[in-house]
Amino acid sequence: MIRFLFFALIAFECAFPEVEFAAELPVEKAIMTSPPEVPPSITRDSPAKVIMALEVIEKVGKLTDGVEYTFWTFGGTVPGKFLRARVGDTIEFHLLNHPNNKLPHNIDLHAVTGPGGGATSSFTAPGHQTRFTFKALNPGLYIYHCATAPVGMHIANGMYGLIYIQPEKDLRHVDHEYYVVQGDFYTPKNFGAKGHQPFSMQRAIDENPSYVVFNGSASSLIGDNALKGKVGDTIRLFVGNGGPNLTSSFHVIGEIFDRVYFEGGSNFQENIQTTSVPPGGSSIVEFKVNVPGTFMLVDHALLRTFNKGTLGMLKVEGDPLKDIYSGKELDEIYLGDESVASALRKSSEKMTAEAPKAEVAKTNEKYNGAEIFEKNCSMCHQNTGQGLEGVFPPLAKSDYLLGIAKSKDRKEVVNIVLNGRTGKIKVNGKEYNGVMTPVSGLSNGELAAVLTYVTNSWGNKAKEFTPSEVAEYRKKVQK
Amino acid sequence: MRSQKLFVSGGAFIPQFGTNKNDPSVIVSDFWLDSHPVTEAAFRKFLKSHAEWRDEKNASNFSDEKFTSFWLRREPSPNRVYYPAIFVSWFAASAFCEANMGRLPTTFEWEYAARASATKKDGSADGELTAQILDWYAQPNSANALFSVFQGKPNAYGIYHMHGLIWEWTEDFNAFFAATDSRQEGDKNKDLQCGAGSLNGANRENYAAYIRYALRGSLRAKDTLSNLGFRCAYDQKK
């Protein structure tokens, strides 16, 4: 008789090989964690029956310092508990609605293949519990959320979380896994208005949130609540977006995602700066922290980060690696234009050195020769006309210059300015063999002013140049 | 102060969930409604004269353990005398109303009387009213202690606490929660899950109404809640 039953069983199993007798599956209770922690990787390599029980709790919490809000939660937190199972598992799901709650709730897990994602089978009045069972047919990172009308309000009050169905071969080992879910919240007054704030249906319909935060609060991942790591650690973030309305442009400042399992799916992209996480969607990002510091988690739609609270922190400790990131190496004055820079440098040097008596240079009425000199000539000939030894000839007490300036025919000096000069010259006993580039754009009046200034400063003295004189010379030397 | 039977003049209105997709409005006939929710005192009086409800074994067929524990095993607190009667099942509420020559109001009658604001019989255009109702729903139970039904202000019909104190039973509380397993194409799936519920609602911005229908639809006739009570309706004044 026993043998008959045995053969019958084998025959049955051969005919229906996919049938796993529920009684044969090992039964285990799911390990569930509160954010930002993630349950450990499941190491078994065959399916099991996994028991999950989530309790709905309506409770008052903190949106930011000084601001309270009534959250509707799965398991007492926003997001709710992190659920973890393996592809092929049979999951027996219990939903418990605490008797102190005011409203009925249900759950739609995106990992469920079945009507409502489980919502139709989990509608639970306060003080009651319901149960349904589903098979995890697909691996991936899935959002779960309440789906009781009005759904927008249930989700906007924080009723969402993540369920991770591991693939047959789980993702590679990392040092830390963390759980981060962005959500938008709607109150009649803007961010920061103190006291207990109610839900604003109108702002939710208008998609105009007052708070956009990670893990239900602007302070959930900052300061003492920051995520932690050490230099050299590999980090994986299971990122979700409960919405209800806004898409997240998820980015970690100062880090690049080595891998992004975009949309929480099976394939990954590499070397990503910012990844889109739609409401009701997810993403798995991995990166190695190479240098110490505080790395900010943000929504790169940055006004949300700065004005509505979408900011988290990852604090990495350890020794710096200066060849990867040096930190600030230099901080000095920047003056913009070079002539101004050298002028300021020279004037500060002049103050310390014993300066010759500053001559009041003659200027023509209209033009300021000193200014024109500073703009066009001082970069080479220097502010006090001393030039640069061996490179740029001096103008101060220059025998070469004054020789021309004191003669009757002074067109040479106009020639030099307008047409430039190359080749050997001797100035004050020293040889110069450089290139002076022509100075263009000066009118006769301007040229007269600067020539007058040069030939009457720093110990020089010569007859004033007039615009008409310059005009005549210009005609003669014009090329 | 006492609860009175108030006349509610019938008329047409558009409930959140009607019966006919082609015509969203519904006609409610004249009826009378209790001005206040039934109090603890009134329900205890009913229990005194209805032994079958004091019998735990019998009562457990028509209610749950919380009814038994609250009404049959606990000493009544003098503070709660005029609090609304809670932890009552649909069966218990129906029995009470029957004993008082009445019945539970239908959902349409209840929603019709509840649409009034403080000043207007038809307050459905009053966004303020919806926001106030929603605020009460959004607060946790702990923040909303029960209080005497004789406190507070009435609406335009003279009816007290249609909102803001307790949920209330109606005669056909589960008529709007159709079978959720609909395999037929083109079936009018009136369940309150997600899209189906929201798309079938008459006013998609009346979140307060959605919440009420969802709450009623989640209950079964034997269930009780710490914030679920009732009032009675009558077809004639007696």
Side-chain angles (χ1 to χ4, degrees):
Chain A
M1 180 61 184
I2 305 272
R3 207 186 287 171
F4 171 76
L5 286 173
F6 181 69
F7 281 124
L9 193 69
I10 297 207
F12 186 71
E13 285 234 42
C14 290
F16 305 100
E18 288 87 33
V19 172
E20 285 150 357
F21 291 92
E24 288 177 1
L25 284 177
V27 178
E28 64 186 46
K29 227 171 117 179
I31 299 173
M32 309 189 301
T33 55
S34 295
E37 304 302 329
V38 174
S41 179
I42 291 170
T43 49
R44 63 181 151 81
D45 55 6
S46 58
K49 181 170 188 179
V50 180
I51 317 281
M52 289 182 180
L54 266 187
E55 180 185 38
V56 176
I57 302 171
E58 297 167 13
K59 65 191 276 195
V60 175
K62 198 173 77 154
L63 268 173
T64 188
D65 287 332
V67 183
E68 291 191 323
Y69 187 82
T70 300
F71 295 95
W72 299 343
T73 72
F74 285 107
T77 55
V78 176
K81 300 256 190 252
F82 193 104
L83 309 173
R84 191 164 190 153
R86 186 175 173 276
V87 65
D89 282 349
T90 295
I91 297 173
E92 183 186 281
F93 196 93
H94 300 249
L95 188 67
L96 302 89
N97 192 349
H98 197 279
N100 283 352
N101 292 339
K102 195 172 270 174
L103 303 177
H105 298 283
N106 61 11
I107 190 166
D108 168 359
L109 302 109
H110 289 185
V112 171
T113 300
T120 58
S121 313
S122 60
F123 195 34
T124 314
H128 286 80
Q129 53 179 308
T130 54
R131 183 189 89 196
F132 67 97
T133 302
F134 70 96
K135 192 161 182 185
L137 298 178
N138 299 60
L141 181 64
Y142 299 101
I143 282 278
Y144 65 77
H145 63 84
C146 180
T148 300
V151 184
M153 184 177 180
H154 281 253
I155 294 178
N157 282 349
M159 297 199 77
Y160 43 78
L162 284 176
I163 174 168
Y164 178 49
I165 305 294
Q166 289 177 200
E168 272 186 34
K169 184 170 184 304
D170 198 10
L171 300 177
R172 61 185 179 174
H173 167 82
V174 293
D175 297 301
H176 301 280
E177 287 183 329
Y178 290 117
Y179 177 24
V180 177
V181 178
Q182 182 170 325
D184 18 296
F185 290 87
Y186 300 85
T187 58
K189 296 192 189 149
N190 283 333
F191 184 97
K194 299 255 181 269
H196 188 280
Q197 300 299 322
F199 168 73
S200 167
M201 183 194 76
Q202 195 52 56
R203 284 187 75 150
I205 292 175
D206 293 341
E207 302 192 26
N208 176 16
S210 38
Y211 294 83
V212 184
V213 293
F214 293 123
N215 294 2
S217 168
S219 44
S220 65
L221 294 176
I222 60 174
D224 292 335
N225 297 328
L227 304 178
K228 300 217 177 26
K230 291 191 318 299
V231 166
D233 281 351
T234 46
I235 310 242
R236 175 178 294 129
L237 302 181
F238 289 102
V239 183
N241 187 357
N245 291 318
L246 270 48
T247 293
S248 176
S249 304
F250 188 71
H251 175 85
V252 177
I253 301 178
E255 271 296 340
I256 298 161
F257 302 138
D258 298 320
R259 280 195 190 176
V260 174
Y261 289 82
F262 44 92
E263 300 180 340
S266 304
N267 298 316
F268 59 86
Q269 180 54 285
E270 297 179 279
N271 303 319
I272 297 295
Q273 68 202 286
T274 298
T275 191
S276 272
V277 190
S282 73
S283 186
I284 305 176
V285 305
E286 296 178 7
F287 52 99
K288 182 172 178 168
V289 287
N290 304 87
V291 295
T294 299
F295 298 88
M296 309 293 192
L297 281 62
V298 301
D299 182 335
H300 218 290
L302 280 173
L303 273 294
R304 298 173 195 173
T305 294
F306 293 123
N307 290 73
K308 297 186 179 178
T310 338
L311 181 73
M313 292 178 180
L314 168 63
K315 290 191 176 164
V316 178
E317 298 195 322
D319 296 324
L321 261 73
K322 294 268 184 200
D323 58 341
I324 293 181
Y325 185 76
S326 68
K328 185 182 281 189
E329 292 170 317
L330 186 71
D331 190 344
E332 59 174 30
I333 291 178
Y334 171 68
L335 292 170
D337 189 59
E338 169 56 31
S339 64
V340 175
S342 74
L344 283 171
R345 235 181 293 135
K346 291 309 152 201
S347 67
S348 67
E349 281 169 24
K350 194 176 179 182
M351 278 189 248
T352 53
E354 193 178 306
K357 189 164 147 225
E359 305 247 320
V360 176
K362 287 186 189 170
T363 57
N364 285 323
E365 296 107 40
K366 260 208 225 175
Y367 301 103
N368 186 332
E371 266 179 32
I372 299 169
F373 177 81
E374 194 176 309
K375 234 187 176 166
N376 296 282
C377 324
S378 66
M379 60 283 280
C380 300
H381 292 292
Q382 306 305 317
N383 243 45
T384 46
Q386 77 270 33
L388 198 60
E389 186 153 327
V391 183
F392 306 125
L395 300 171
K397 299 199 180 115
S398 160
D399 53 9
Y400 183 88
L401 173 65
L402 290 169
I404 306 168
K406 286 184 195 232
S407 65
K408 266 209 163 90
D409 185 356
R410 312 203 283 179
K411 69 170 182 294
E412 188 54 25
V413 85
V414 172
N415 186 26
I416 292 172
V417 174
L418 289 182
N419 297 316
R421 168 59 43 93
T422 54
K424 275 193 204 158
I425 60 172
K426 211 168 192 177
V427 179
N428 295 351
K430 294 227 172 68
E431 211 174 75
Y432 291 87
N433 189 1
V435 175
M436 170 160 160
T437 50
V439 182
S440 58
L442 292 178
S443 66
N444 293 331
E446 287 168 321
L447 190 45
V450 70
L451 288 173
T452 301
Y453 170 78
V454 166
T455 53
N456 285 283
S457 303
W458 322 305
N460 292 353
K461 192 139 178 65
K463 198 174 122 204
E464 195 184 322
F465 284 80
T466 62
S468 50
E469 185 187 350
V470 168
E472 242 189 70
Y473 293 147
R474 191 193 283 266
K475 271 191 237 150
K476 289 190 185 156
V477 305
Q478 200 94 12
K479 282 207 179 125
Chain B
M1 206 174 171
R2 300 189 51 143
S3 181
Q4 296 168 294
K5 294 177 182 151
L6 293 180
F7 177 70
V8 178
S9 170
F13 83 115
I14 297 177
Q16 186 70 350
F17 292 95
T19 52
N20 187 350
K21 239 186 196 153
N22 299 320
D23 178 10
S25 73
V26 148
I27 295 181
V28 172
S29 310
D30 296 347
F31 68 106
W32 281 261
L33 191 66
D34 280 339
S35 59
H36 294 76
V38 171
T39 61
E40 251 197 52
F43 196 77
R44 286 208 187 272
K45 201 167 149 210
F46 163 81
L47 288 176
K48 261 206 190 123
S49 53
H50 287 79
E52 71 276 21
W53 280 99
R54 294 198 311 275
D55 178 76
E56 278 196 26
K57 197 151 173 277
N58 192 46
S60 66
N61 288 326
F62 299 100
S63 63
D64 61 22
E65 312 82 66
K66 287 178 285 177
F67 172 93
T68 312
S69 159
F70 182 81
W71 293 104
L72 305 182
R73 293 188 193 150
R74 270 224 309 223
E75 280 307 308
S77 158
N79 298 337
R80 302 181 65 99
V81 166
Y82 294 128
Y83 280 20
I86 51 170
F87 291 123
V88 284
S89 66
W90 180 85
F91 291 110
S94 299
F96 176 99
C97 290
E98 217 181 278
N100 282 277
M101 315 294 189
R103 54 176 174 77
L104 286 172
T106 64
T107 302
F108 286 153
E109 285 171 338
W110 197 96
E111 289 283 319
Y112 180 76
R115 83 204 194 291
S117 65
T119 49
K120 279 201 176 133
K121 287 198 172 136
D122 183 356
S124 46
D126 190 346
E128 253 306 299
L129 178 64
T130 303
Q132 279 167 9
I133 298 171
L134 209 57
D135 280 356
W136 180 71
Y137 296 160
Q139 285 164 28
N141 267 347
S142 50
N144 303 130
L146 296 179
F147 50 87
S148 162
V149 307
F150 297 115
Q151 283 174 13
K153 294 194 174 72
N155 69 11
Y157 283 108
I159 300 174
Y160 288 73
H161 307 304
M162 292 301 271
H163 307 287
L165 180 55
I166 47 169
W167 302 114
E168 295 189 9
W169 284 110
T170 57
E171 207 260 324
D172 53 349
F173 65 97
N174 55 4
F176 301 89
F177 189 60
T180 57
D181 183 12
S182 72
R183 299 180 206 265
Q184 301 99 312
E185 276 289 298
D187 185 38
K188 282 194 209 136
N189 193 347
K190 287 210 173 80
D191 65 79
L192 290 166
Q193 263 49 261
C194 247
S198 307
L199 293 178
N200 282 338
N203 178 2
R204 290 186 202 178
E205 299 198 5
N206 195 345
Y207 277 20
Y210 280 122
I211 288 179
R212 276 198 303 280
Y213 277 85
L215 186 283
R216 287 191 287 252
S218 73
L219 298 167
R220 292 163 309 175
K222 279 175 68 172
D223 291 345
T224 70
L225 296 178
S226 65
N227 56 2
L228 171 65
F230 68 105
R231 70 182 75 216
C232 301
Y234 312 86
D235 293 312
Q236 58 204 26
K237 189 156 183 179
K238 232 320 207 45

